[in-house]
Amino acid sequence: MARRPLPRFPRGGGASLARGREMARTAAEGATDVLHPLITVSRGLRKLAAAGRATWAATPRERRGPTLLLGAACVLGVVLMPYGPLLALVSLMGAAAWKGRERPAARTGPDEAGAKRLRALYEALVPHFSAPGDPSPLFTHGGEWNGVFGDLAFDADGRPARLRVSYPAYFPDGDPVARARIERLLHTKSGRGREYRFDWDEEGNQLLMTVLPALPASVAAQRFVTVPGETVLGFTDADAVQRTVPVRDGEATRDAPAVVWRTGPRSTEPHLLVVGQPGGGVSTLLRSVALQALQHDGEVVVLEGFGTGEYACLVGRRGVLGVEGGPAGALNALEWVAHETKRRLAAAHQARRAGEPAPAEVRRPLWVLLDRPTVLADLAAAADRTGPQELLQVPLRHGRAVSVTVVVAEQFDTVDALGDTVRAHTRARVTLGSAPVDQLAAVLGAPPHTTPPPEVPPGRGYARLGAGPVVRVQVPATPDPYDEATPEAHRRAVLDLLPERPAHEDPLPAGGAAVPG
């Protein structure tokens, strides 16, 4: 029996069908272009109507009557106005067109370059976040980075600016060495020349990497809004502290997050240790502390080991008991400070036994600013005299009870020569200038959670008050006003804060100011 052939479609039908689709698509696009304003206005009217319904539903029932009355009065006023209905219609169409416009969709994921960076970062983390016996590893060669990377943000160059990494529970996140290895890798792969902060969440097995902006170094010395017993050491990140103070930054005024150090009888960190590199801003911080102490009617004694005249602007000022730059004068001043502390202790004890408040002279703050005590120690040993650290034992141990505050400044290369008494009683710590992480951790008691900045301006470093966290800090610019290289604006700012010299006293020479006995 012969088979009947199957029907065949015309060979030229495919081309005709394609041409038909193309014509339909062209017509649809043309109609969309022509009707685009109408579509935009219709979308805007729908959004305005939805917003009106939501507002009406949120209006309390007792206020709906007055609202209707006010709306009717507005409509009547528009109708009675010349060209009122036309203007109202034009305004409504304009508002609908603005409300219904198409907004560009925000990019939620990385682009091709960002995805390539994340792929390389994922592969680099595989040896650190994987184990041979893991049945379902999070990190495997050739795996997907989408499951472990989240909370993504990129800068203008396509480099990661914010990244959350989920790591396996068996990673030793409590080991500082293991943490440092991961942080160094992320820093290298994400791009050098920026400052990173790493926040480890041991409970959730997550690491958040954030790129930090540079701390502004434009805030100069000024009168800060503080109470007696509070000293602004510098300014830090907004999420690092809970205290802000209004500051003048150039011509503008803003609220800046400040690192505030509290002193006095109830302070848990009554004394301060400042360690820095040469040119790191140590003398700048000591001048800033001295100016703030004088602002609150405190008495200041400044002692420096080198005698370079960094504090000559304070000589003879009201409230400054002495500025000593020579070894003999500095050691004599420290002996007077020790005797003064004992005298205040005896006066306070006698007042308490009599049931009376402490005398005013005991309550008045006395600030001892000692710069480079190790140099004074060498000079004292050569002269067969008691060293400065031994003379500081009484003020450091008992100064908090009688409002005596000690600020010790030293450099990184000689900080190991400081004795146990100085280290034990200076619980407020500041480091200035660049230094290795192990040196920062040795001074602060804990390593910083940020990478070293690419550029370290004077007065830039880290601060830690007691057992608190390590935070970044930028000291307010307080240069030597007698230095010829000081900018005029900063020079004037420091000179305006200096107390006047008493008319009946002659200015004392730098390095030879006498301290009351």
Side-chain angles (χ1 to χ4, degrees):
M1 184 176 180
R3 294 183 179 180
R4 298 178 61 182
L6 296 174
R8 297 181 178 179
F9 294 97
R11 293 183 178 272
S16 300
L17 186 60
R19 283 196 300 272
R21 287 201 200 95
E22 186 65 25
M23 292 176 61
R25 186 182 301 108
T26 304
E29 292 177 355
T32 302
D33 293 339
V34 172
L35 299 177
H36 180 71
L38 182 59
I39 295 173
T40 301
V41 172
S42 301
R43 187 189 305 119
L45 288 174
R46 289 197 306 269
K47 291 183 178 180
L48 290 175
R53 287 195 300 268
T55 304
W56 180 258
T59 303
R61 293 184 179 274
E62 63 273 9
R63 296 180 57 184
R64 291 184 179 182
T67 303
L68 284 176
L69 182 60
L70 179 61
C74 293
V75 171
L76 181 60
V78 170
V79 171
L80 296 178
M81 285 176 56
Y83 305 103
L86 180 60
L87 293 177
L89 180 62
V90 172
S91 301
L92 179 62
M93 293 299 103
W98 177 261
K99 193 72 174 179
R101 73 190 188 279
E102 293 182 355
R103 299 177 177 86
R107 190 180 68 181
T108 57
D111 55 6
E112 184 178 355
K116 186 176 180 181
R117 281 181 174 272
L118 294 178
R119 165 61 56 187
L121 185 58
Y122 177 86
E123 293 292 336
L125 289 173
V126 169
H128 304 280
F129 286 152
S130 61
D134 192 351
S136 56
L138 293 175
F139 289 81
T140 58
H141 290 292
E144 295 294 333
W145 55 264
N146 297 342
V148 295
F149 292 161
D151 202 359
L152 299 171
F154 296 84
D155 60 6
D157 298 330
R159 299 181 297 178
R162 183 181 177 88
L163 178 65
R164 187 179 299 275
V165 182
S166 299
Y167 56 87
Y170 52 76
F171 176 75
D173 50 11
D175 185 7
V177 178
R179 283 191 177 193
R181 186 165 56 248
I182 298 299
E183 294 174 0
R184 185 166 54 251
L185 189 148
L186 291 174
H187 179 199
T188 304
K189 293 295 183 181
S190 299
R192 299 181 183 272
R194 301 185 296 175
E195 192 170 1
Y196 295 84
R197 183 177 66 190
F198 300 97
D199 297 320
W200 291 83
D201 181 11
E202 293 88 349
E203 295 181 356
N205 299 320
Q206 290 185 343
L207 167 61
L208 178 61
M209 180 191 73
T210 310
V211 176
L212 298 175
L215 291 176
S218 56
V219 179
Q222 55 193 275
R223 292 187 180 275
F224 300 112
V225 182
T226 56
V227 300
E230 292 183 345
T231 304
V232 175
L233 298 179
F235 302 95
T236 183
D237 301 297
D239 57 350
V241 293
Q242 300 179 354
R243 173 80 175 270
T244 60
V245 296
V247 297
R248 295 190 310 273
D249 191 353
E251 299 296 332
T253 301
R254 61 183 179 89
D255 289 338
V259 180
V260 179
W261 171 42
R262 294 174 176 84
T263 58
R266 293 180 176 82
S267 174
T268 58
E269 302 90 23
H271 308 294
L272 174 67
L273 173 63
V274 184
V275 182
Q277 298 286 6
V282 173
S283 58
T284 296
L285 178 56
L286 263 62
R287 276 190 294 267
S288 176
V289 171
L291 292 177
Q292 295 182 63
L294 295 173
Q295 174 185 346
H296 295 300
D297 297 329
E299 296 177 332
V300 177
V301 177
V302 183
L303 313 171
E304 56 174 332
F306 275 119
T308 55
E310 291 285 341
Y311 311 97
C313 60
L314 298 171
V315 174
R317 302 288 178 175
R318 188 180 301 276
V320 179
L321 301 183
V323 178
E324 293 290 349
L331 294 176
N332 292 336
L334 285 176
E335 292 178 354
W336 174 84
V337 169
H339 289 302
E340 173 66 11
T341 305
K342 296 178 181 178
R343 187 191 67 80
R344 291 190 175 203
L345 286 172
H349 178 66
Q350 185 177 0
R352 283 194 295 268
R353 290 188 59 183
E356 299 176 354
E361 59 180 5
V362 174
R363 297 194 304 268
R364 187 175 186 182
L366 173 61
W367 293 74
V368 182
L369 310 183
L370 178 57
D371 194 356
R372 301 300 304 275
T374 55
V375 176
L376 288 177
D378 296 338
L379 297 176
D384 196 17
R385 296 190 58 178
T386 305
Q389 298 191 51
E390 289 76 8
L391 296 173
L392 281 177
Q393 290 185 5
V394 174
L396 287 173
R397 291 174 178 173
H398 308 288
R400 178 177 63 175
V402 289
S403 301
V404 177
T405 302
V406 179
V407 179
V408 179
E410 195 52 74
Q411 293 186 0
F412 278 106
D413 55 355
T414 55
V415 69
D416 294 336
L418 294 178
D420 295 337
T421 303
V422 176
R423 294 175 177 271
H425 292 86
T426 53
R427 291 174 45 81
R429 305 286 179 89
V430 175
T431 61
L432 299 175
S434 60
V437 178
D438 54 349
Q439 286 189 350
L440 296 176
V443 175
L444 299 172
H449 298 293
T450 62
T451 58
E455 297 181 0
V456 185
R460 174 69 167 82
Y462 299 94
R464 189 186 188 200
L465 302 180
V470 179
V471 298
R472 302 194 302 167
V473 67
Q474 176 65 49
V475 177
T478 315
D480 182 7
Y482 297 160
D483 189 356
E484 297 180 355
T486 302
E488 184 59 29
H490 292 173
R491 183 200 317 275
R492 180 51 52 191
V494 175
L495 291 177
D496 291 343
L497 293 177
L498 287 171
E500 71 282 359
R501 289 190 173 95
H504 61 280
E505 295 182 9
D506 296 330
L508 297 176
V515 178

